[in-house]
């Protein structure tokens, strides 16, 4: 029996909802609906793992009360994708209405078994942020395969079964696999496919149950019958058909073949009249003889109503931002059904999970023989949170291995003082991330450092500021060398496996990177030796004064000057790589696949600019050193000479760096956009990107805007496998004017853009955001007016064919469905969802090219202690700041980060006394409900971390990023 009063409080906090929000999770601190008084009845529910549970509810309880109890029993957060179904007295399978009393729907509860099943199938399983949710979806797929509802070809069926077997028995063992397949039937034709299933299973070695679930859903979602329930019908000619509903609209099948689809954006109204099911379509301006009402005959009025109700629910769940409000009841009489969708929409579910931190609760996989402690989840985070998501960023993303690999710490565990410590995970198996709204969560345990150890360490090391400046050189040099090895080791190794890269390009890249990498290996050893001597960890300090770093810097900067020719070739290598990728689909795929590897924690082309950025880091370090030393100090002369040499190199290469940063940013943005041809044109310069709300007939809608020196584009994110942004329109800047219009439209922080062909009203999220946008747009308009007239169209032909810009834009606005466009996605591998564009989208902020440049110049590395707001322990982590994000490692020797935290939208402050952080050098990062405390080792490092993080959390304003007169020539 499952008594509502006996449920653990944590489940009560995670499940249920106020009446206005339907069936879903509660805000923290609230409780599930109270059970109405009265006699109890027992209701049997069959779960997706085929077990049955008995729940006791009041005779007056609504369906929502029972459903909340089921979700609480499962500890399920994303319950909105599921529902309860049963067979009524007419032997029809119907959904339990959550708003009506149970006993008014189920006449004989003792003889009725309700089934807990998936109701809403999203287009992309990466939108499911909890591992438990994906596990339940995998069980649904397994059931649909077994009963023949999910049909597919033999190869797909065998592959699906092989992932199920991997999840249930682990890595391949031929005898065990054959015996398991003989004892368990997963598909009707399993015997004929036995050899093929075994062949596929052999290839899944090392794949965890969570990864198997992920791969199972990845394959299943591409099948035509995925999530499809067929409802028999006939057309006007009497031809037997089947109707179905999906996230994208209403589908028509003949047998198991889809013959037509009516997208939600094309459907004006759905209705039924007795046995007739009617679909009214929006008029198609391009077809004069288009039939605007389609009619289908179904078996009975009840069948018609059942299908109509599920269509209403699918439309609301996937298309609306929030639950529709109930219509007021008429006073005298009613006309038509009063049925409405009850529950959270998919958008609300995703936002809720991202905005709320939950402690991951392990769950038991009833069908798996593997001893597996569930902790795999793409929600931070993905932020993985989030990374996805969403923390999609790289969020805590290690994946634990199968049992035979358990002798060494898994990726989900780390060794701390000889003990295994777990990490919360936040990334999908293939590295893709969910939405980056939340942050990666390191567990409250682990990485504990005692105050005694910390005090001993402080007394042992020098306290001179010059020492900490030298130590910053050491820590950032370690990170820089790792970044060089991404190109010289990892990328080169990946290229050698394939012959896609021409020898000329191979030589251009590696012949110019390897000498630089070897030089910095020696440089790093010199710095490490000097710091060891400075700290007194060797006997060398007895023979001389080693408490300085300027002499080491001078010697190596002079050596680096001899490599200037190689440094100049790096930008040429980036240009040539991009040119070759445009002409070779194979090479482009190779680079895209490499970017999905964990070692490539940033976009690949950023690594090509690292040597130029490193010169600026040296300059900044030497400037601080010279400012600290008095002219009489022994190290001052060497430091000043090294500063002069590196400044000369910076000046020499600065023009190239500015051009390449802009080029790199255009290449990066191109990956995030659908419908753009030739974004990286000569002369085009990126200025700002970010979220604005656009006023349309539907009201204010969130859009991502991209500002260049010739055009302003607006887009929305398509919920596809790659989460790219779909372009809705472009506003050429030539001849544009801008006017603040808050009073005119009554919308805070709004302004109107008047173009030569159309006008657009947009609103910023705050006064400061509006100020940045208005200033940058005015600057861009001035630049466009100084050029030689209007710029060329940058939208691809698929968005501008035979229509005026206004018509094209209007069409795209109305076609804002969740499936988005797939014209250019069929061959694309999904890329990271933690790019700056996605972070800005989820955090409703913007970022400029100046911000990008500052973030790349302000790289910092080192150890930090990290604390949760509700725990006392501190975790020691190796942390790298770059590209607006903090990347977390166990140690500086790690090949790739365990997690990342994008900082855009976060605030950095010092903890108040009420927070009881009685430690020195602690700073606090917070965004909505997410709070993190970090502790540095000295006043100098504390100030440096505060300085660089502020550069990422505070977007630049009143700074003109385009002061150059000459256009870029690529």
């Amino acid at each position: 029996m499952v008594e509502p009063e006996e449920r653990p409080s944590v489940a009560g906090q995670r499940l249920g909802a106020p009446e206005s929000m339907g069936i879903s999770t509660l805000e923290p601190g609230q409780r599930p609906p109270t059970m109405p008084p009265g006699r109890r009845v027992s209701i049997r529910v069959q779960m997706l793992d085929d077990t049955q549970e008995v729940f006791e509810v009041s005779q007056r309880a609504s369906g929502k009360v029972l459903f909340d109890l089921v979700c609480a029993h499962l500890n399920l957060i994303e319950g909105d994708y599921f529902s309860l179904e049963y067979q009524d007295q007419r032997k029809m399978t119907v959904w339990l209405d959550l708003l009506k009393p149970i006993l008014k729907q189920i006449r004989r509860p003792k003889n009725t078994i309700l089934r807990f099943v998936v109701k809403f199938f999203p287009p992309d399983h990466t939108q499911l942020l909890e591992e438990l949710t994906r596990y339940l979806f995998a069980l649904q797929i397994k059931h649909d395969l077994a009963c023949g509802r999910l049909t597919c070809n033999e190869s797909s069926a065998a592959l699906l079964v092989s992932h199920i077997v991997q999840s249930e028995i682990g890595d391949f063992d031929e005898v065990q696999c054959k015996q398991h397949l003989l004892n368990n039937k997963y598909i009707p034709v399993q015997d004929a496919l036995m050899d093929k299933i075994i062949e596929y299973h052999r290839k899944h070695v090392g794949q965890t149950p969570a990864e198997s679930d992920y791969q199972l859903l990845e394959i299943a979602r591409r099948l035509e019958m995925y999530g499809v329930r067929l409802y028999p019908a006939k057309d006007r000619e009497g031809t037997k058909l089947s109707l179905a509903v999906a996230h994208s609209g209403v589908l028509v099948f003949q047998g198991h073949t889809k013959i037509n689809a009516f997208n939600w954006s094309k459907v004006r109204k759905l209705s039924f009249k007795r046995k007739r099911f009617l679909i009214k379509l929006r008029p198609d301006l391009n077809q004069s003889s288009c039939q605007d009402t389609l009619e289908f005959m179904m078996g009975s009025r009840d069948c018609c109503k059942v299908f109509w109700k599920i269509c209403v629910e699918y439309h609301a769940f996937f298309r609306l931002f929030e639950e529709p409000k109930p219509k007021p009841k008429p006073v005298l009489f009613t006309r038509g059904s009063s049925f409405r969708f009850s529950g959270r929409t998919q958008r609300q579910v995703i936002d809720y999970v991202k905005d709320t931190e939950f402690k991951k609760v392990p769950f038991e996989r009833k069908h798996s023989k593997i001893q597996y402690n569930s902790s795999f989840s793409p929600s931070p985070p993905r932020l993985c949170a989030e990374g996805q998501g969403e923390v999609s960023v790289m969020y805590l993303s290690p994946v634990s291995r199968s049992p035979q690999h358990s002798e060494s710490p898994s990726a989900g565990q780390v060794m701390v003082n000889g003990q295994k410590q777990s990490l919360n995970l936040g990334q999908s198996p293939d590295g893709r991330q969910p939405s980056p709204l939340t942050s990666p969560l390191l567990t409250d345990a682990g990485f504990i450092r005692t105050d005694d150890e910390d005090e001993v360490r402080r007394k042992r090391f020098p306290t001179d500021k010059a020492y900490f400046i030298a130590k910053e050189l050491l820590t950032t040099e370690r990170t820089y060398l790792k970044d060089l090895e991404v190109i010289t080791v990892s990328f080169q190794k990946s290229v050698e496996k394939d012959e896609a890269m021409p020898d000329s390009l191979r030589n251009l890249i590696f012949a110019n990177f390897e000498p630089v990498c070897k030089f910095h290996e020696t440089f790093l050893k010199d710095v490490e030796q000097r710091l060891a001597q400075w700290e007194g960890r060797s006997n060398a300090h007895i023979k001389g004064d080693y408490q300085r770093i300027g002499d080491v810097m001078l010697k190596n900067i002079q050596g680096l000057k001899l490599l200037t020719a190689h440094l100049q070739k790096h930008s040429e290598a980036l240009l040539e790589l991009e040119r070759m990728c445009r002409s070779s689909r194979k090479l482009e795929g190779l680079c895209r696949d490499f970017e999905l590897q964990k070692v490539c924690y940033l976009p690949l082309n950023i690594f090509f600019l690292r040597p130029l950025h490193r010169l600026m880091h040296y300059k900044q370090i030497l400037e601080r050193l010279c400012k600290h030393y008095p002219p009489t100090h022994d190290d001052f002369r060497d430091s000043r000479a090294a500063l002069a040499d590196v400044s000369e190199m910076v000046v020499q290469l600065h023009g190239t760096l500015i051009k390449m940063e802009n080029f790199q940013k255009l290449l990066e943005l191109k990956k995030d956009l659908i419908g753009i041809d030739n974004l990286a044109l000569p002369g085009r310069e990126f200025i700002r990107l970010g979220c604005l709300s656009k006023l349309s007939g539907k009201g204010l809608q969130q859009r991502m805007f991209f500002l260049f020196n010739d055009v302003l584009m607006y887009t929305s994110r398509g919920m596809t496998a790659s989460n790219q942004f779909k372009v809705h329109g472009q506003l050429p800047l030539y001849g544009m004017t801008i006017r603040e219009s808050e009073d005119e439209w009554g919308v805070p922080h709004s302004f109107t853009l008047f173009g030569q062909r159309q006008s657009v009203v947009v609103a910023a999220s705050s006064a400061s955001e509006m100020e940045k946008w208005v200033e940058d747009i005015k600057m861009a308009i001035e630049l466009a007016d100084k050029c030689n007239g209007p710029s060329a169209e940058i939208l691809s032909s698929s968005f501008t064919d035979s229509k005026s810009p206004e018509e094209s834009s209007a069409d795209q606005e109305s076609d804002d469905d969740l499936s988005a466009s797939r014209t250019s996605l069929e061959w694309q591998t999904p890329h990271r969802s933690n790019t700056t564009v996605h972070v800005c989208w989820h955090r409703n902020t913007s970022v400029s090219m100046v911000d990008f440049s500052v973030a790349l110049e302000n790289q910092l590395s080192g150890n930090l202690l990290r604390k949760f707001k509700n725990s006392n322990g501190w975790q020691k982590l190796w942390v790298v700041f770059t590209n607006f994000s903090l990347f977390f490692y166990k140690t500086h020797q790690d090949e790739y980060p365990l997690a990342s935290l994008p900082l855009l939208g976060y605030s950095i402050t010092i903890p108040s006394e009420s927070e009881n952080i009685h430690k020195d050098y602690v700073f606090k990062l917070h965004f909505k409900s997410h709070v993190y405390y970090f502790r540095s080792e000295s006043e100098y490092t504390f100030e440096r971390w505060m300085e660089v993080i502020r550069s990422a959390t505070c977007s630049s304003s009143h700074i003109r990023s385009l002061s150059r007169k000459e256009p870029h020539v690529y």
Side-chain angles (χ1 to χ4, degrees), residues 487 491-492 495 501 506-515:
I487 299 293
F491 187 52
Q492 185 169 11
V495 168
M501 181 176 285
R506 192 192 307 259
N507 293 334
L508 179 61
I509 295 175
F510 302 117
N512 288 292
F513 265 90
E514 286 175 347

Side-chain angles (χ1 to χ4, degrees), residues 579-590:
R579 189 182 70 81
M580 294 301 299
C581 283
R582 285 201 301 264
S583 61
S584 170
R585 181 70 61 84
K586 189 175 182 181
L587 178 59
E588 182 186 33
L590 185 150

Side-chain angles (χ1 to χ4, degrees), residues 241 261 270 297 376 392 475 628 750 786 807 829 914 916 965:
L241 304 168
L270 295 175
M297 295 292 292
F376 173 90
S392 160
T475 56
H628 168 67
S750 63
K786 290 177 183 178
E807 289 174 335
T829 301
S914 62
N916 295 319
K965 295 181 181 179

Side-chain angles (χ1 to χ4, degrees), residues 62 91 173 415 452 458 691 738:
S62 66
K91 300 300 181 183
D173 177 275
M415 296 298 293
D452 290 341
R458 286 193 188 186
C691 275
I738 183 172

Side-chain angles (χ1 to χ4, degrees), residues 366-386:
K366 296 288 178 64
H367 296 275
S368 180
K369 300 178 182 178
I370 305 173
Q371 295 298 316
Y372 177 72
N373 185 18
S374 171
S375 59
F376 173 90
S377 172
S379 167
R382 268 93 192 191
L383 269 165
C384 221
E386 186 335 14

Side-chain angles (χ1 to χ4, degrees), residues 88 121 165 183 192 224 291 319 329 344 400 456 499 605 669 690 696 768 837 850 907 913:
D88 63 9
F121 289 80
V165 173
N183 295 336
E224 194 159 71
Q291 183 181 0
R319 291 281 291 182
K329 292 184 178 179
R344 296 192 182 193
S400 57
V456 169
E499 298 180 355
N605 48 34
L669 293 180
S696 69
S768 61
V837 177
V850 174
S907 298
E913 290 188 11

Side-chain angles (χ1 to χ4, degrees), residues 126-140:
T126 61
Q127 294 166 10
L128 307 175
L129 304 183
E130 290 260 307
E131 183 193 343
L132 172 58
T133 313
R134 290 192 300 276
Y135 169 61
L136 294 175
F137 265 74
L139 291 179
Q140 182 70 63

Side-chain angles (χ1 to χ4, degrees), residues 160-402:
L160 288 166
V161 173
S162 71
H163 284 296
I164 296 173
V165 173
Q166 174 71 19
S167 174
E168 295 187 357
I169 68 173
D171 286 346
F172 178 76
D173 177 275
E174 188 165 2
V175 175
Q176 184 185 19
C177 180
K178 285 185 176 179
Q179 190 60 45
H180 185 78
L181 289 172
L182 290 172
N183 295 336
N184 298 272
K185 193 162 187 177
Y186 298 108
I187 50 177
V189 292
Q190 184 167 299
D191 293 343
L193 297 179
M194 184 84 74
D195 292 340
K196 188 170 286 191
I197 295 170
I198 291 173
E199 179 186 345
Y200 282 134
H201 183 208
R202 193 191 307 269
K203 300 176 181 178
H204 302 331
V205 173
Q207 189 169 283
T208 66
E211 291 174 304
S212 298
D213 291 346
Y214 192 95
Q215 297 301 330
L216 182 75
L217 295 176
E218 177 66 24
I219 300 163
R221 75 180 181 87
R222 300 177 186 278
L223 301 176
E224 194 159 71
M225 296 300 293
Y226 169 68
V228 169
R229 288 186 176 219
L230 298 177
Y231 293 80
K234 294 179 181 179
D235 63 12
R236 285 180 173 176
E237 285 72 40
T239 304
K240 290 185 178 180
L241 304 168
S242 295
L243 299 180
V245 62
H247 64 90
S248 57
V250 180
L251 313 177
V252 182
F253 284 82
Q254 196 159 40
H256 287 92
T257 302
K258 184 169 66 176
I259 61 173
N260 211 340
F262 304 102
N263 194 287
W264 293 128
S265 62
K266 307 300 181 188
V267 175
R268 184 165 61 89
K269 184 179 180 181
L270 295 175
S271 61
F272 68 96
K273 188 173 183 180
R274 296 187 178 88
K275 295 183 180 183
R276 291 184 297 153
F277 184 79
L278 306 173
I279 303 175
K280 292 187 178 180
L281 301 176
R282 299 183 189 278
D284 191 335
L285 300 178
N286 296 327
Q287 297 182 16
S288 57
S289 60
C290 179
Q291 183 181 0
D292 93 321
T293 302
L294 300 170
E295 183 178 306
F296 298 91
M297 295 292 292
M298 304 190 80
S300 66
R301 179 187 181 278
D302 291 335
C303 293
C304 242
K305 187 172 183 178
V306 167
F307 182 63
W308 173 79
K309 287 169 72 173
I310 189 62
C311 287
V312 170
E313 292 180 311
Y314 253 83
H315 176 269
F317 184 75
F318 287 110
R319 291 281 291 182
L320 302 186
F321 283 176
E322 58 185 27
E323 177 188 2
K325 300 294 186 292
K327 295 180 180 179
K329 292 184 178 179
V331 178
L332 297 177
F333 59 88
T334 62
R335 182 181 179 184
S337 174
S338 62
F339 175 79
R340 67 178 179 89
F341 171 71
S342 171
R344 296 192 182 193
T345 65
Q346 188 192 36
R347 166 64 72 84
Q348 288 177 308
V349 176
I350 292 174
D351 288 347
Y352 178 76
V353 178
K354 289 176 190 169
D355 286 350
T356 312
E357 290 184 20
F358 293 111
K359 183 177 180 181
K360 303 298 180 185
V361 180
F363 62 91
E364 179 184 358
R365 292 170 175 265
K366 296 288 178 64
H367 296 275
S368 180
K369 300 178 182 178
I370 305 173
Q371 295 298 316
Y372 177 72
N373 185 18
S374 171
S375 59
F376 173 90
S377 172
S379 167
R382 268 93 192 191
L383 269 165
C384 221
E386 186 335 14
Q388 166 148 45
E390 311 172 230
V391 253
S392 160
V393 151
M394 243 171 64
Y395 298 93
L396 279 186
S397 56
V399 178
S400 57
R401 296 289 99 194
S402 50

